[in-house]
Amino acid sequence: MGLSKETIEAGVDAIAALEPKLAQAVAASGYPEPRIRPEGYETLLRTIVGQQVSVASAAAVWNKLEARLGAGCPAESVIAADFDELRACGLSRQKQGYARSLAELIISGGLDLNNLPTADEEAIALLTQVKGIGRWSAEIYLLFAQGRPDIWPAGDLAIQVGVGNFLGLPERPSEKDIRKIAEKWSPHRGAVAIFTWHHYHVMVM
C-alpha cells in the first residue's frame, strides 16, 4: 500500500528541517492526504486506461470495461475480447495494444507484481517493459501502490511547477534540474512529491 499519512508527514518534516522554503510551503499549504492505490494488475491497467484523458472519462471507460469483462477486467478477459468489444467501451487501438501487452505478461508470468525488485530503478526498468507504461507511470505505481518512500517523479509537470514555486525559482525547472535539486531530499523524496502535488493544487486554486 502507499505511504501512510504519518509516514508522509514525518518525511516532509525531515526535509523541511533542512529546507526552510519547504517548511514555509508546509505552513502555507498544510500537509497532504495520502495517495494510496491497490497493488497489482488492476491498478496498472487503470493507469493505461486513464492516460491522456480526464478522470471522468477514464472512470466512464473503466465502468464499461468492467460491465463487459467482469470486475477488475481480468487479464484472461482482456485477451479474449475482440477489437470491437473493447472499442465499444472506449478503448482506442493503441490502448488496446497496451492492455493486451500487460495482460499477456501477467498471464505468462513475465511480470510478477508480487515480486518486483527491491531496488527502485530495477523495478522501474521491469515495469516499463510493458507497452504503454513509461517511467512516470512506473514511478506512480511504486509510490501510490507500493509505498516506496524515495520515489521521485521528476518528469511530472506539477512536481516541476510546485518545486519551482516553493523554492522561489525564476522559471520552471527541467526534469534534469528537479532530479539534481532533490538528491539531498533522499530518502524522503516520495513524501516530498506527495506534498508538492498538494501544494501545486492549493497554489493554483
Side-chain angles (χ1 to χ4, degrees):
M1 297 294 285
L3 297 178
S4 69
K5 186 174 181 64
E6 293 75 19
T7 301
I8 292 169
E9 291 183 7
V12 169
D13 286 346
I15 304 307
L18 307 173
E19 193 75 71
K21 291 182 178 178
L22 174 59
Q24 292 170 9
V26 174
S29 300
Y31 291 104
E33 291 299 315
R35 294 189 175 204
I36 296 175
R37 302 288 183 271
E39 287 188 71
Y41 156 80
E42 182 179 333
T43 290
L44 278 181
L45 182 58
R46 292 189 75 135
T47 298
I48 289 170
V49 170
Q51 288 174 348
Q52 297 179 322
V53 297
S54 69
V55 172
S57 295
V61 172
W62 182 259
N63 289 339
K64 290 177 183 177
L65 286 169
E66 283 200 310
R68 187 171 289 267
L69 304 179
C73 301
E76 294 79 6
S77 298
V78 171
I79 295 298
D82 63 30
F83 173 82
D84 289 334
E85 282 183 285
L86 296 179
R87 182 71 178 182
C89 295
L91 214 57
S92 67
R93 181 182 297 276
Q94 184 179 54
K95 286 188 179 180
Q96 288 191 38
Y98 296 163
R100 292 185 193 280
S101 170
L102 173 60
E104 287 167 358
L105 283 168
I106 294 296
I107 292 170
S108 70
L111 178 62
D112 183 356
L113 294 172
N114 294 318
N115 290 290
L116 291 176
T118 55
D120 293 340
E121 287 300 325
E122 291 180 20
I124 290 168
L126 189 61
L127 288 170
T128 53
Q129 290 179 11
V130 181
K131 291 179 182 177
I133 299 294
R135 184 180 181 93
W136 180 86
S137 296
E139 289 171 332
I140 294 302
Y141 178 81
L142 294 175
L143 181 57
F144 293 172
Q146 291 207 326
R148 298 200 181 200
D150 205 30
I151 294 295
W152 182 242
D156 188 277
L157 178 62
I159 293 287
Q160 295 168 8
V161 173
V163 170
N165 175 268
F166 73 66
L167 290 182
L169 302 179
E171 57 186 29
R172 175 170 62 86
S174 67
E175 179 176 350
K176 182 178 178 180
D177 293 336
I178 282 286
R179 290 198 186 281
K180 185 68 176 176
I181 288 168
E183 284 178 359
K184 61 182 179 294
W185 299 342
S186 182
H188 302 294
R189 288 178 292 187
V192 177
I194 292 171
F195 167 76
T196 304
W197 279 308
H198 167 71
H199 173 72
Y200 171 83
H201 288 295
V202 170
M203 179 182 73
V204 299
M205 287 180 66

